[in-house]
Every structure is written in structure tokens, then in C-alpha cells.
Amino acid sequence: MMRSLRMYFGSLDRQNLDRRLKSDPILPSQIVVLTLIACFFVSPIPLDADAVRTVLRWQEDETLSGKQHGARGMWRDNLWGFSFDTGETWAYDGQQFLPAGKMPGRQRPLMSLFTDDGIFVVAPSRHDGVVTADVLFSPDGFADYQLQLSLNSTTSGTPFASAQDHSLVDLGDSRLLFFEYSDESRVFYSGNAGQNWDLLFEPDSTSIRHFHGAFFDPDYEKLYVMSGDSNAQSSIMVTDDLFGEHGLINDPGLWRTRWGMDDPGRKTLETEWLLKPLGLDRSQHSRSVEMEIDGDYVYWGEDTGRPSGQKMFRAHRQTMEVEEVGSGGIIGSPWRFLKTSDDRFLFLTSAIHWQGELFPGSDEFLHLYEMTEDGSDYRELARFSTLHELYSGSMPFGFAEAFERLWINGYNISDPEYDVVGSLIEVGLGDLNDDEQLTAIDIDLLSAAIRNQQYQPIFDLDMDGRVDGGDRDLWVNELKDSFYGDSNLDGEFSSDDLTHALQFAEYEDDLPRNSGWAAGDWNGDGDFTSADLVLAFEGGAYEQGPRVHAAVPEPRSWTLLVVALVGILLSRQIRAACVVS
């Protein structure tokens, strides 16, 4: 019968359907029958409500997103931000933005450290062609920032002034470490809140290319030092002796030897002072730029380019025993971690570009993940489009929690002048009007978002970073477990659906985008036309009953379908008859 239907309409495309539907003569008896069906025997059919799966999704705060950029963290009851474009700093007290300080000259902030003594900022500067990495300080954040340490650096023979988020490390009691992120790889120490700095040690240039920073665990007084970039150079070095007679500060030469920083082969390395992911003391599994504490473990993710995605690891804070977390496949490198006030453990990944080329395992999105409650796995929550030509180390990005919102630093977002501000909320997947049901209202909201090119993670049902037809397919076929053409959403496509759509009398009317799913707009363009019929019929689900999660069989009878299609011709006549009645 499918073949007969195709012969009748020529082919299932819009041109042939339009021609047949608008040109064939209609018998008066058909007009009477179909008018009676549409006007008297059909009442609005309640739309079925399924159980809705609850998920976490990002909800943007439109009153705050895009207002400022460079949000970095909470300090003294305010959220602080640093503008890379102007060098200015700002504070937000929960009600209003307050103008704060400004970087000297043309310096631009790369990272910040909030301490009991004040705010420290690493900012690059250029003087007469010389590029320096400068450590600036302000005791209250509102004063102008004063220069404390300035370093000339190069990478691959070119001037280089940059920093990672953990280049500056607060050891408490006004004691600071600075790890240089360049080919020089120097480490400096200050015991008086940065007023004076001493060179602690400098590795052989062939043993470690540069430091990705360090992370301090105050409870166990352990310092984790991250380096890169080759397999031999990449490691996470550990010491729990900082201030003893032979600790790192008083005997740095001992630790330079223990960590194998004296020669290319790192022959003096003592492996008991290194973390060993997958049993390896030096590898890309140890190449990281960020660590975070959660419970008994310290976590890190790979800063690499694996086509299959990046891995996450954790080490026990006391024993340093390492285990893999999850099954890998993280898209982009986990660059920023955050523990929230409600004990959520989140991390952001960054797309990595090098000389214009996108690294394997990355894409053009910033990905937001959440660790599971026991810290053994992770799940993705949202994606945000990123700048294509952003070199991973040249600008900061990250996020902070402030005033019951998450503030994602805008430097790595597609519009670099904006922060993305919002909250993670529990929502029903596909329940876009939050009524705890999956109804035609939800699919209409999704279709409108697609038409208007409106990207919000709540609409991105398949989590591919786009809001498009794939999300509609997921809603119809999987979440609702139904078919295109099922206008009453009872789980099957039948003559009831055609009659249900017919009663709205909107087929090929003159009002643009006035139709929704219930009225026959199944392809989401806002109108009920033959294109919707093509979409529905090609699915082969007509009069086949509910979805059985297998291939839909070839329909056995198309008699009612032909009658219903012809009936659509009568939409204008039926509407008129209904008005008269």
C-alpha cells in the first residue's frame, strides 16, 4: 500500500503533495463527513505526560551575563574581576558593581591570588620591546597595584610573559611561591607577602621546560608541583617538608636533586616524591595545570591532546596512592576546578589551539562537568562556544561562585567581553516550561529556540553544543518515546492525530508561524504544511501503534491516511462550516 500511496502522490515531497492536495476534486459527501468529524466529534485531546528524568542544567541570569568580564573569585565578601581589555579591576557586592583599581600602564591581568595580605596579580608588560611577567600587589584591591617582581622570559626563543592560575601559591603566614611559566622555569620565594623575593632554584633547562604551577594542601602541608611538557618533563612532584632543616625552602638544592632537575635524563630523580598515574612517574598523565581537593583525595586532569579524550586522576592525600577516575573521554583539558557551597565539585575544560591548530581531544566549546558524589566519575552539564584562535596560555579563564550564581570568566567564551553568569538547576530533561510534564508546549518552545538560533544549555538536550534538529529528534523519539506526526502525543501516529491537527484549521493558512506541534507543525518551522506530512509519513509509523524500540514495519494499510490527506484540503471549508455551525 505504501507503493500505491507513492503512485497517488507521485513521490513524498512537498511539490507533489501540494499539487495533489490543491488540485484534486473533493466529493460533497467527503466534505460533510470530515466536517462532522472535525467540528462535532473531535474535542481537544489531553496531551499525555510522561515521567521526566531530572538532570542538572545551566540557567543563565540575563540580568548579570554580559555586564562585566574577568570574574576571578570571592574576597572580603565581594566578587572581584579583572578586565584584560582595560586593565581595570572591579568588585561586585551582590547589588552593584564597584570600580576598583587599575593595572599600571598597559599591563593586563593574567591570574590573581587572594590572600590575607591583599590581592596579587600576574600581569604581562612590554617596555621598549622587552616583555616581562610582573607580579603586582594591592592591599585592599581598590588601590592602584604596585609592582613587586618583574621577570624577563622567553619561550621557544621569543619573548613570553604569561602565567597559569597556580603560578602564584599562598603557603600561609605571608609566605608565597612564584613558579615561572616560560623556558626559564625559575622558582621564587617571598617570606614577607611579596615585598622581597629570592630565587629559590632553577632547573636545568633540558630537564623541565617550564612549571605549570603548584598546589598547596594546607591540611597535610603538602606542596604538589606540576611541570611539562614532554613525557620525560611532565610530572607531579610532591613534598611534605617545606620549612624544616632539609625542607624545600631551606634546602632547595636537595629537592632539585630529588625531583631530577639536574640533567636531561633526570637521573637523580627519586620516584617516591612523584605521583604515579597508571604506575608511571613521568608521563602525559601527569601533565596538568590544575588540582583540587575533595574529601580524602586531590584531583587533576590531563593537559594533553588525546583524540579519545582526556583522563582524570586522584591521589590519596595521605598515602599519595593514585587511581584513575571515570573512563576518560573528557573533551578538552580540565583547566579549572571549583568546589561550590552546596558541595558540588565542578570542572571546566578548555579547547587547546597551538599555532592555529586545534589539539586532538578538543573542540570549539568550553565544557562544564560535575564530579559524582563519591568522586569516582563525572558527567557533562553544559557547553559554551569558545574563541577559535585563542592560544590556551595567553589569557585566563575560569569560574567563581558568588551570590548563589556561577560566573564563568568570559575570555574563552565566543564573546570575550562577557562573563556568562547563571546557576545550575535541577530540571526535567526536555521539560522546558518546568511543569513536570513533556507536552506540546515543550516541543514548541524547543522549535522556537531552534528557529531563533537561541542557544541555552537547557535546550541542548543531546549535549552537542548546538540547539538544532538533533534535539527535536531526541525529544520526540526518545524522551517522549513517540513519532513525528503524533499531534496528540499519545505515543502513536494514527488517524486521530491527523484529525486532531485538522481541527485547528491552520493547514497552509495565510498566518506565518502560527502553528504548533498540536496543530500539525511537526518539523518545527512554525507552520502546518505538506512538509510536515512528508516528515511524518516517511517515518513509516502510521497506524503501527506505540514504539516497540525496533525497526518500524512497512505499513499494511494506507486507506485512512489517504482519506485524512484529502481531508486536509478541506481545512478552509471546514473552518468556515465550523463557524457557521
Side-chain angles (χ1 to χ4, degrees):
M1 296 308 296
M2 185 65 166
R3 183 179 303 169
S4 300
L5 181 66
R6 290 186 181 275
M7 290 177 61
Y8 179 78
F9 288 112
S11 65
L12 285 176
D13 58 41
R14 179 167 184 156
Q15 182 177 0
N16 283 295
L17 279 170
D18 282 341
R19 185 175 67 253
R20 300 297 296 186
L21 289 171
K22 293 181 178 179
S23 63
D24 282 4
I26 307 301
L27 298 176
S29 60
Q30 291 174 304
I31 296 176
V32 173
V33 171
L34 290 168
T35 301
L36 288 173
I37 292 173
C39 295
F40 299 103
F41 295 107
V42 176
S43 60
I45 300 174
L47 302 181
D48 183 55
D50 295 337
V52 180
R53 177 159 59 97
T54 301
V55 295
L56 269 182
R57 283 293 183 269
W58 176 270
Q59 178 172 281
E60 188 169 0
D61 186 334
E62 296 181 355
T63 64
L64 290 171
S65 277
K67 303 301 182 183
Q68 296 284 344
H69 62 285
R72 300 300 290 169
M74 285 293 292
W75 186 63
R76 297 182 181 175
D77 298 324
N78 289 331
L79 174 68
W80 291 81
F82 300 81
S83 170
F84 191 86
D85 292 332
T86 66
E88 296 174 346
T89 66
W90 54 265
Y92 179 68
D93 64 5
Q95 300 294 326
Q96 60 182 333
F97 289 93
L98 309 172
K102 189 178 187 305
M103 305 293 110
R106 293 289 301 163
Q107 289 169 316
R108 294 296 177 261
L110 287 172
M111 58 83 60
S112 53
L113 180 67
F114 303 97
T115 73
D116 292 339
D117 299 295
I119 296 178
F120 294 84
V121 180
V122 179
S125 181
R126 181 184 294 271
H127 304 283
D128 299 325
V130 177
V131 180
T132 59
D134 298 338
V135 177
L136 310 174
F137 172 73
S138 172
D140 62 4
F142 287 95
D144 288 340
Y145 287 77
Q146 303 298 317
L147 178 65
Q148 287 194 321
L149 178 67
S150 183
L151 300 171
N152 294 353
S153 301
T154 60
T155 290
S156 302
T158 60
F160 185 76
S162 190
Q164 300 286 4
D165 246 28
H166 291 286
S167 292
L168 270 172
V169 182
D170 183 7
L171 302 177
D173 296 329
S174 301
R175 299 171 300 193
L176 303 172
L177 287 171
F178 178 73
F179 291 82
E180 192 170 9
Y181 179 54
S182 70
D183 287 350
E184 278 70 29
S185 304
R186 292 168 289 190
V187 180
F188 294 83
Y189 172 72
S190 172
N192 56 2
Q195 300 304 307
N196 303 101
W197 293 86
D198 296 318
L199 175 63
L200 196 61
F201 65 85
E202 181 176 4
D204 183 277
S205 61
T206 58
S207 64
I208 288 177
R209 181 189 176 204
H210 56 208
F211 291 107
H212 291 166
F215 180 81
F216 182 57
D217 180 351
D219 294 333
Y220 288 88
E221 296 189 339
K222 286 185 179 179
L223 181 72
Y224 300 84
V225 180
M226 300 169 284
S227 66
D229 281 327
S230 68
N231 279 330
Q233 296 169 341
S234 298
S235 55
I236 300 178
M237 299 158 278
V238 187
T239 175
D240 56 3
D241 188 355
L242 288 171
F243 302 104
E245 181 182 356
H246 297 292
L248 178 65
I249 305 304
N250 293 314
D251 194 357
L254 171 65
W255 291 94
R256 170 177 156 149
T257 301
R258 282 181 170 176
W259 288 339
M261 297 183 180
D262 292 320
D263 60 82
R266 303 183 70 178
K267 298 184 180 67
T268 62
L269 186 147
E270 299 178 22
T271 60
E272 61 267 33
W273 302 106
L274 272 66
L275 297 184
K276 303 178 184 62
L278 303 184
L280 302 172
D281 51 54
R282 291 164 292 167
S283 73
Q284 295 295 299
H285 302 303
S286 299
R287 179 174 165 176
S288 180
V289 298
E290 172 73 296
M291 302 186 83
E292 182 58 81
I293 293 170
D294 185 45
D296 293 330
Y297 295 91
V298 58
Y299 290 75
W300 75 93
E302 295 176 333
D303 174 36
T304 59
R306 300 182 185 279
S308 59
Q310 318 313 313
K311 294 181 180 294
M312 181 79 71
F313 297 94
R314 67 182 183 183
H316 194 277
R317 295 168 66 190
Q318 185 173 14
T319 66
M320 296 196 299
E321 192 171 325
V322 177
E323 62 188 34
E324 185 176 351
V325 174
S327 57
I330 299 170
I331 305 174
S333 292
W335 268 34
R336 297 293 177 261
F337 291 151
L338 177 68
K339 286 297 296 297
T340 67
S341 58
D342 59 354
D343 288 329
R344 296 194 185 280
F345 184 12
L346 308 175
F347 65 92
L348 287 170
T349 69
S350 173
I352 299 180
H353 294 78
W354 175 251
Q355 298 178 345
E357 295 291 329
L358 189 65
F359 265 34
S362 298
D363 59 18
E364 304 295 354
F365 298 100
L366 182 155
H367 299 257
L368 176 61
Y369 289 84
E370 180 192 33
M371 302 294 296
T372 56
E373 188 173 352
D374 64 358
S376 64
D377 206 348
Y378 36 80
R379 57 176 175 167
E380 188 177 0
L381 303 181
R383 299 183 183 190
F384 304 92
S385 181
T386 60
L387 287 171
H388 290 190
E389 298 302 326
L390 178 66
Y391 169 58
S392 59
S394 63
M395 292 183 183
F397 87 102
F399 58 157
E401 182 188 25
F403 307 107
E404 299 181 347
R405 299 174 180 87
L406 291 177
W407 302 63
I408 298 181
N409 184 305
Y411 295 131
N412 217 41
I413 309 298
S414 54
D415 192 333
E417 295 184 358
Y418 293 163
D419 278 347
V420 177
V421 184
S423 304
L424 287 172
I425 60 172
E426 298 276 356
V427 300
L429 186 60
D431 175 21
L432 303 177
N433 69 337
D434 197 28
D435 65 354
E436 300 183 359
Q437 304 178 78
L438 297 179
T439 69
I441 297 174
D442 299 307
I443 188 67
D444 290 342
L445 288 171
L446 177 58
S447 296
I450 295 170
R451 290 196 303 271
N452 298 329
Q453 297 182 337
Q454 177 186 1
Y455 179 80
Q456 290 185 22
I458 195 172
F459 294 119
D460 185 11
L461 305 182
D462 59 8
M463 294 296 292
D464 67 350
R466 293 172 286 273
V467 176
D468 55 20
D471 300 296
R472 297 185 81 253
D473 291 342
L474 184 88
W475 195 97
V476 173
N477 298 325
E478 297 184 30
L479 300 182
K480 192 62 183 177
D481 204 21
S482 186
F483 306 94
Y484 284 103
D486 178 17
S487 62
N488 64 15
L489 289 177
D490 64 355
E492 52 187 296
F493 177 33
S494 68
S495 56
D496 288 342
D497 298 298
L498 296 167
T499 309
H500 183 269
L502 178 63
Q503 69 179 315
F504 292 89
E506 294 177 2
Y507 178 77
E508 296 287 6
D509 62 12
D510 296 327
L511 300 176
R513 294 189 174 179
N514 67 320
S515 300
W517 177 273
D521 176 30
W522 303 317
N523 67 2
D525 65 0
D527 294 303
F528 182 25
T529 68
S530 55
D532 299 291
L533 301 174
V534 171
L535 176 65
F537 301 151
E538 285 187 334
Y542 182 74
E543 296 290 8
Q544 297 301 306
R547 185 179 295 277
V548 294
H549 304 288
V552 177
E554 181 76 8
R556 293 188 297 272
S557 173
W558 290 88
T559 304
L560 291 176
L561 176 59
V562 173
V563 172
L565 285 174
V566 174
I568 292 173
L569 280 171
L570 308 177
S571 58
R572 291 186 176 86
Q573 293 103 314
I574 291 172
R575 181 173 53 190
C578 290
V579 171
V580 171
S581 64

